[in-house]
Amino acid sequence: MKTTAARLSALYLLLFAGCAILLVFYMTSLSGRMLVGQIQDTINEEMAGLGRAYQRGGLTSLVRVIEMRSRQPGANLYLITDPQGRILAGNVQSLQPGVLDKLGWTERPFGYQRYGEAEGERRATRYGEEATIDADPTQPVHLATAVVLRLPNQMIVMVGRDLGEPERFRQVVQRALIVTLGIMGLGALLIWFFVGRTALRRIDRISEASRRIMGGDLSGRLPVEGSGDEFDRLSENLNEMLARIAALNEGLKQVSDNIAHDLKTPLTRLRNKAESALGTPKDTAEYREVLEGTIAESDQLIRTFNAILMISRLEAGYSAEAMVDVDLTAIARDVAELYEPAAEEVGVTLESAVDVAATAHGNRELIGQALSNIVDNAIKYSAGTNGGSRVVVSLTADDAEARLSVRDTGPGIPEDDRARATERFVRLEKSRSQPGSGLGLSLAKAVMGFHHGRLELADAEPGLLVSMIFPIIRKPDETADRPG
């Protein structure tokens, strides 16, 4: 009973038992009242018929009709007495005292005895006490309800109906309800036992897995049964959270390792330049050249650190950047226009194939920075390739996604290295002759994750195709005008 499931189940069983008891009493009482109401309607009809007989032939006709009806099988109770209560006609031998003292409907069932009944056991009333009449105590006592009238000549007429049938019906209904609800209660107990134990076992497995994870095993996951119930949904959500935490921890570890390895070289180079400048006498121009190189190296380090911080903030899901509806078409055209002079300078043809309009929800600066990194890489690695250096920026869209792509004619990236190419500080160029820090694609991947999109790398045959895929919120039917 220390578990919430057990306490809730016990509370449910108590509520079920209380409702079942109330239902039994209500149904039995309702069925009894309905039958008593039908009996009263029948008695009223009998009284109306006897009244018509009395009006036609007086007391003689009334007695004759009562004697005839009282002999019929399953007859109602009929009784005519004198003003002193002596029985003159009818099928009732004796009554419970006081029944004829009050005119109208009897307030409660009363005991009576018919003529010619065999000996038997006495019967108890529905109120829990035996009816007593002035008769042989070995004779059976029945229960009835009746209406009592007084004729103009002071004779008393009583017409009633035995309550044995409604009482038996009430008992049958009561027993049926008790048995049915008892079976339902037993079934509920069995279901609680088996289903509750199953649920508790699943909770125990989840708790055990949680303890292992809290012990430091971040690779562990909560069990998922595959039933799709609330336990599975909870486990799946927590597993996603654990995967996210593990990825952030791995990213933090990679950042620490990469800073230790990849930033050590530029810092060492910066120190050596300063030491060399101090070790040998130089004129003003030479000192100025050393200082300018130091500033350039420092700016590159600052840019690298800013990129690292931006990637970490985006991967953690936190950014102070404003999220608005942005025009992907305008961003693609602006970046292509910005890098066109740089591409011409190194002999690369930069083309823009943006012929649709698409809108996504995001940050214009982040998307522009990610696309700029991709275009810059494409130009850098396409320069000097055989067969014409060419970079194409394109935008396509359908009803669900917008694909912002950059295709180049460079050496491309082998399929086995594409996943690693988006990691921080990863540079596949072994010679390291090209400038850069290896954070361009990593930043683009973080930006796409922040925008609930994805970054895809594919073979352009020749070259590399890098696609930024956004979930769009609107794509007009009309096409955008091409830039002139």
Side-chain angles (χ1 to χ4, degrees), residues 252-269 301 304-305 308 424-427 432 436-437:
L252 180 62
K253 179 177 178 298
Q254 289 179 0
V255 168
S256 301
D257 295 342
N258 292 331
I259 288 176
H261 292 85
D262 290 78
L263 297 184
K264 180 180 179 180
T265 300
L267 287 174
T268 302
R269 187 168 57 248
L301 287 174
T304 300
F305 276 109
I308 293 173
R424 301 173 190 176
F425 296 105
V426 172
R427 299 183 65 187
R432 302 259 174 159
S437 59

Side-chain angles (χ1 to χ4, degrees), residues 45-189:
E45 293 178 0
E46 287 289 324
M47 272 296 186
L50 295 178
R52 289 192 294 269
Y54 181 75
Q55 290 175 359
R56 288 195 305 267
L59 183 59
T60 303
S61 176
L62 178 61
V63 171
R64 185 170 60 253
V65 171
I66 287 178
E67 288 292 342
M68 180 180 63
R69 292 186 178 182
S70 63
R71 295 191 185 97
Q72 296 177 354
N76 293 331
L77 303 182
Y78 298 98
L79 185 64
I80 298 180
T81 68
D82 60 14
Q84 287 73 34
R86 291 189 293 270
I87 297 176
L88 302 179
N91 56 2
V92 177
Q93 180 179 351
S94 57
L95 287 173
Q96 183 176 329
V99 175
L100 302 178
D101 295 342
K102 186 176 180 180
L103 302 180
W105 285 99
T106 54
E107 295 180 354
R108 57 183 297 171
F110 60 89
Y112 77 96
Q113 182 178 349
R114 290 175 182 263
Y115 285 105
E117 288 184 327
E119 293 186 359
E121 297 180 356
R122 295 172 61 82
R123 298 183 181 177
T125 69
R126 57 192 289 182
Y127 299 99
E129 56 186 23
E130 292 184 342
T132 58
I133 61 174
D134 295 334
D136 186 354
T138 62
Q139 295 298 318
V141 176
H142 305 285
L143 294 176
T145 185
V147 61
V148 180
L149 297 177
R150 188 180 295 274
L151 299 177
N153 59 2
Q154 301 303 311
M155 294 290 185
I156 297 175
V157 178
M158 185 197 77
V159 178
R161 182 82 175 183
D162 188 90
L163 294 178
E165 181 180 351
E167 181 67 17
R168 286 190 297 273
F169 179 77
R170 186 186 66 83
Q171 292 175 356
V172 168
V173 172
Q174 186 178 34
R175 285 195 296 268
L177 286 174
I178 291 175
V179 171
T180 302
L181 295 176
I183 294 175
M184 293 174 61
L186 179 61
L189 284 172

Side-chain angles (χ1 to χ4, degrees), residues 218 240-250:
L218 293 180
E240 291 180 4
M241 180 185 70
L242 291 172
R244 183 67 174 167
I245 293 174
L248 292 176
N249 287 339
E250 182 64 24

Side-chain angles (χ1 to χ4, degrees), residues 150-412:
R150 188 180 295 274
L151 299 177
N153 59 2
Q154 301 303 311
M155 294 290 185
I156 297 175
V157 178
M158 185 197 77
V159 178
R161 182 82 175 183
D162 188 90
L163 294 178
E165 181 180 351
E167 181 67 17
R168 286 190 297 273
F169 179 77
R170 186 186 66 83
Q171 292 175 356
V172 168
V173 172
Q174 186 178 34
R175 285 195 296 268
L177 286 174
I178 291 175
V179 171
T180 302
L181 295 176
I183 294 175
M184 293 174 61
L186 179 61
L189 284 172
L190 293 176
I191 293 173
W192 172 42
F193 180 76
F194 291 107
V195 177
R197 284 177 62 88
T198 301
L200 290 176
R201 283 197 298 268
R202 294 184 65 181
I203 293 175
D204 290 339
R205 288 196 294 270
I206 292 175
S207 300
E208 183 180 355
S210 301
R211 284 192 294 270
R212 290 198 304 269
I213 294 170
M214 288 187 294
D217 183 14
L218 293 180
S219 63
R221 294 295 182 266
L222 301 181
V224 178
E225 301 289 339
S227 60
D229 59 4
E230 61 275 10
F231 289 106
D232 275 0
R233 293 195 296 271
L234 176 62
S235 297
E236 290 170 356
N237 291 334
L238 292 178
N239 287 340
E240 291 180 4
M241 180 185 70
L242 291 172
R244 183 67 174 167
I245 293 174
L248 292 176
N249 287 339
E250 182 64 24
L252 180 62
K253 179 177 178 298
Q254 289 179 0
V255 168
S256 301
D257 295 342
N258 292 331
I259 288 176
H261 292 85
D262 290 78
L263 297 184
K264 180 180 179 180
T265 300
L267 287 174
T268 302
R269 187 168 57 248
L270 188 65
R271 181 187 181 282
N272 291 338
K273 285 184 178 181
E275 185 178 13
S276 176
L278 292 175
T280 58
K282 291 181 173 59
D283 56 20
T284 304
E286 292 175 333
Y287 278 119
R288 183 178 183 85
E289 182 180 355
V290 172
L291 289 176
E292 289 177 349
T294 302
I295 292 175
E297 291 280 356
S298 299
D299 289 341
Q300 178 61 32
L301 287 174
I302 291 174
R303 286 193 295 271
T304 300
F305 276 109
N306 287 337
I308 293 173
L309 292 175
M310 176 66 72
I311 293 172
S312 299
R313 187 166 71 244
L314 293 176
E315 288 182 346
Y318 169 75
S319 177
E321 309 296 337
M323 300 285 286
V324 296
D325 294 347
V326 295
D327 186 0
L328 298 178
T329 306
I331 295 177
R333 289 174 178 172
D334 291 345
V335 172
E337 183 178 355
L338 176 66
Y339 277 88
E340 188 173 359
E344 291 180 356
E345 185 177 346
V346 295
V348 176
T349 302
L350 179 59
E351 299 178 3
S352 176
V354 182
D355 55 357
V356 299
T359 302
H361 188 69
N363 180 267
R364 180 183 177 88
E365 287 72 22
L366 291 178
I367 297 174
Q369 183 177 356
L371 182 60
S372 298
N373 289 344
I374 297 172
V375 172
D376 182 69
N377 282 342
I379 294 174
K380 182 168 55 179
Y381 289 104
S382 296
T385 57
N386 296 328
S389 302
R390 185 165 168 262
V391 174
V392 179
V393 179
S394 62
L395 176 64
T396 58
D398 54 26
D399 293 335
E401 295 179 338
R403 183 179 293 265
L404 190 55
S405 304
V406 177
R407 182 189 301 268
D408 62 53
T409 57

